[in-house]
Amino acid sequence: MPNEKLGLIATATVERYAHNITPCNAWRAAEWSSARCGGPRLTTPPRSGAMRKEHALTGQLRLMAVHAHPDDESSKGAASMAKYVAQGVDVLVATCTGGERGSILNPKLQGDPELEANLHEVRRKEMNAAREILGVKQAWLGFVDSGLPEGDPPPPLPEGCFALEPVEKAAEPLVRLIREFRPHVITTYDENGGYPHPDHIMTHTITMAAFEAAADPEAYPESGEPWQPLKVYYNHGISMARIRALHAYLVEHGHESPYGEWIAGWDEEGRKEREFTTRVQCADWFEVRDRALIAHATQIDPDGPWFRVPLDVQRVVWPTEDYELARSLVGTRLPEDDLFAGITADITV
C-alpha cells in the first residue's frame, strides 16, 4: 500500500475534526526494541485456551495492545494481558500519547501545582509502575495528547496534537513497532474509539492502517522488514452488557449499584451495543488489573466507583474480558475463548 493511500483510511468519526487538521511534527520516544523473530506457521485452529497454551510451548506467541493514553491499558484488557503473560506470551503495550493534557481525576491529588506542572513526567512514572505490575513491555509512540474537547460545538483541537496528525504520518511509528515486535495479534478500539475521544478514534485509525501497511514492502520501506499480523480485535473492557449484568446482580442481592445513572444515560442516548466474538476467561487476574489501574494515581481514585463492586462479585457475574474480532487472516470458529485461536508459532531468533 503506497503511503499516500493511507490518508484515505480515516473514519467518518475522525472527519468530525477535519476542519481543524493542520500539518504538525510528532515527537517520537519509543523506548523498546527486540530481537528479530521468525514468522508464524498456521495449523488447525485450537478450540480452547488450554490447547493454545500447549501450542505456545513450541514457540512464543506475541500480543500487541495499542492504546491512546497511559492508564487505558489498565482499564481495557489488563486482566487478559496479565493472563497471557503468565502463560508465556510476549505482550507489548503501544501507548500513542503521553497523556499530558489529561486532568488529575483523583480528588486526593487535585490542587497540587507541582504535580500539575509535571503531569507528563508523572504519568510516565505511573505507566512504568503499571507495566511492572502487569508484566508487559511498553513503548511510547511519542505523540502529544489531544485533550477531550467539550462544548457544543466542541472547540478546535490544539495544534500539534495526535488527532490532527495526517494518518500516513501517524501510522509510521506503529508500523515500525509492529515490524520490530512482530505481533501475531493486535488489540485496539473500535471505529468510535470505545467512546468518542479524538485520541481513541485516531488510535483505531492508525492501528487499522498499520495492520495493512506493516506487511507491504512498498509502504514505509525505511521502517523495518515487512511483517503481517494475523488478527485484530476491538477491546470492550467497559461494555454495557457487563455493566447491566453487574447492576442487575447488585440490585437483586440488595446492594447499592454505582451504575444506575450510567445505564439510564446510555438508554436515553439510544446507543447500540457491540457484539462480542471472543470472551477471555481471566477472573483470576482481576486483582492484578486493579493494582495496575491504581498505579495510575493521578487518574483513578482507589475509593471511587470503579472499585465499589467486590472482586468476588465480578468473578461470579462476569469472569471474562470481551473482544470483537475485526480482522482475521486465519481460520477460526466463533465464538472464541482465546485471542490466539487459529494461530500457532514456531520461533527462531
Side-chain angles (χ1 to χ4, degrees):
M1 178 187 299
N3 292 355
E4 61 269 17
K5 292 184 181 179
L6 291 173
L8 301 177
I9 301 177
T11 64
T13 314
V14 172
E15 290 172 355
R16 292 170 52 201
Y17 302 96
H19 63 285
N20 294 327
I21 293 178
T22 56
C24 52
N25 295 324
W27 48 274
R28 187 172 186 270
E31 296 178 343
W32 174 88
S33 63
S34 78
R36 296 289 181 178
C37 296
R41 175 172 59 84
L42 307 185
T43 62
T44 303
R47 299 185 183 180
S48 71
M51 291 178 67
R52 200 262 329 133
K53 184 177 180 181
E54 291 176 3
H55 286 296
L57 296 177
T58 64
Q60 191 171 32
L61 295 168
R62 296 183 294 278
L63 170 66
M64 175 185 285
V66 187
H67 288 285
H69 312 104
D71 79 73
D72 287 328
E73 85 296 326
S74 295
S75 61
K76 304 168 188 68
S80 302
M81 290 193 297
K83 173 182 178 177
Y84 282 123
V85 168
Q87 292 185 347
V89 175
D90 199 2
V91 180
L92 171 66
V93 172
T95 311
C96 292
T97 79
E100 50 276 285
R101 285 197 171 95
S103 301
I104 297 178
L105 302 178
N106 186 345
K108 300 177 178 63
L109 299 179
Q110 291 172 348
D112 184 334
E114 183 176 354
L115 191 62
E116 294 174 354
N118 296 285
L119 186 59
H120 179 229
E121 180 181 350
V122 170
R123 297 200 71 180
R124 291 178 74 89
K125 292 179 179 179
E126 291 174 347
M127 179 69 247
N128 190 55
R131 176 195 61 74
E132 290 185 354
I133 291 168
L134 295 173
V136 301
K137 297 172 181 173
Q138 190 263 342
W140 302 94
L141 295 191
F143 295 106
V144 178
D145 189 349
S146 304
L148 180 60
E150 297 181 294
D152 187 17
L157 295 174
E159 184 176 353
C161 72
F162 176 47
L164 297 187
E165 289 284 354
V167 174
E168 65 272 16
K169 181 177 180 180
E172 188 281 330
L174 185 55
V175 169
R176 183 183 297 272
L177 192 62
I178 289 171
R179 289 174 175 176
E180 290 176 353
F181 183 64
R182 300 192 169 194
H184 303 98
V185 175
I186 296 175
T187 67
T188 189
Y189 315 131
D190 63 33
E191 65 277 6
N192 299 311
Y195 80 107
H197 189 299
D199 285 339
H200 284 242
I201 295 167
M202 189 61 162
T203 297
H204 161 84
T205 303
I206 70 164
T207 302
M208 302 311 290
F211 178 84
E212 300 291 342
D216 186 349
E218 296 183 4
Y220 308 102
E222 298 180 355
S223 299
E225 298 176 3
W227 173 260
Q228 179 63 74
L230 298 175
K231 301 172 86 173
V232 179
Y233 289 91
Y234 301 151
N235 59 56
H236 294 295
I238 314 177
S239 71
M240 191 48 58
R242 175 178 177 271
I243 296 301
R244 291 184 191 278
L246 289 170
H247 176 75
Y249 181 94
L250 291 170
V251 171
E252 180 181 350
H253 289 80
H255 301 299
E256 181 182 359
S257 169
Y259 301 127
E261 292 185 5
W262 194 347
I263 294 172
W266 181 283
D267 291 341
E268 184 177 345
E269 293 176 10
R271 295 171 62 185
K272 294 182 179 180
E273 298 187 24
R274 310 285 297 207
E275 294 186 7
F276 308 140
T277 63
T278 310
R279 299 174 183 267
V280 177
Q281 292 278 344
C282 52
D284 290 344
W285 285 268
F286 283 176
E287 187 271 337
V288 177
R289 172 203 65 191
D290 285 1
R291 286 196 292 115
L293 189 55
I294 289 171
H296 292 280
T298 61
Q299 302 303 298
I300 196 74
D301 181 359
D303 300 318
W306 191 277
F307 304 103
R308 285 181 186 166
V309 180
L311 289 180
D312 287 346
V313 171
Q314 295 183 46
R315 293 184 180 112
V316 169
V317 176
W318 205 272
T320 64
E321 288 183 336
D322 308 311
Y323 298 84
E324 177 183 348
L325 181 60
R327 185 79 187 278
S328 180
L329 302 182
V330 299
T332 187
R333 297 180 182 180
L334 301 181
E336 303 171 323
D337 62 2
D338 181 17
L339 299 180
F340 292 95
I343 300 172
T344 61
D346 289 327
I347 303 301
T348 57
V349 179

